[in-house]
Amino acid sequence: MIIQGYLPTGKVLPIAAAVFSEWKDGVYTVAAETSDNTEWVWDQLKQTILGEWLDAKNGPITIMSDRGAAILKGVQLALPHSDIAFCATHLFANVNAHCRSNKSPQLQGSKSGKDQPNTAGLFWKAVAAWTKQEFDNHMSQLREHNRVAWEYLDQIEPRHWARYAQCQYSSTASSVKLDSYVRSTRTVG
């Protein structure tokens, strides 16, 4: 699936492409998330209208992932010039799965009880922080209330999941400003 936007000049701009774990195009079928399949899918996308956009000579691009190891390896092989951002919703689920497997409390919202801290809120505030100071503040509070969740997140470079770091590091910063230029969108595929 490709989502396209249009600049005021009329130029078509690919905004997002999604590849699903099972993909069929009439000739080929990708039935598993392996690094080989992921690399193959991106190589196939290079042969479509996305080809120019995916080319390294046109600058950095950001690929959003659920942090699956096979997906990451395939993207790194096919698009070594890309920045990788992790989907915060998937990351939240991964943190909670890690907490469960370590018999630690999961990230919880304010409805979990008056005496319980809103650790889910701290996670989302860290994700959305505009500055490193704000991010560090929320992460410090999270460490205080759920060390297992904090340790899991601390192993992941913030440039992959925290807005402040993405805006400093990658092409994701341009996507924050993109909304003001997009006139309309259309789904292809």
Side-chain angles (χ1 to χ4, degrees), residues 106-120 145:
Q106 297 179 60
L107 299 178
Q108 301 175 35
S110 59
K111 294 181 181 179
S112 59
K114 291 183 181 179
D115 295 334
Q116 298 294 320
N118 184 353
T119 52
H145 296 295

Side-chain angles (χ1 to χ4, degrees), residues 124-168:
W124 290 109
K125 287 177 181 178
V127 168
W130 282 103
T131 66
K132 183 173 183 341
Q133 180 180 357
E134 185 183 358
F135 172 82
D136 288 343
N137 178 49
H138 297 306
M139 289 298 288
S140 177
Q141 290 177 55
L142 182 60
R143 180 179 60 231
E144 185 179 314
H145 296 295
N146 190 326
R147 188 154 190 100
V148 170
W150 175 84
E151 287 172 350
Y152 181 86
L153 291 168
D154 192 51
Q155 298 300 310
I156 305 167
E157 291 182 60
R159 69 183 179 98
H160 294 300
W161 64 278
R163 176 172 33 202
Y164 91 89
Q166 289 172 339
C167 288
Q168 291 174 355

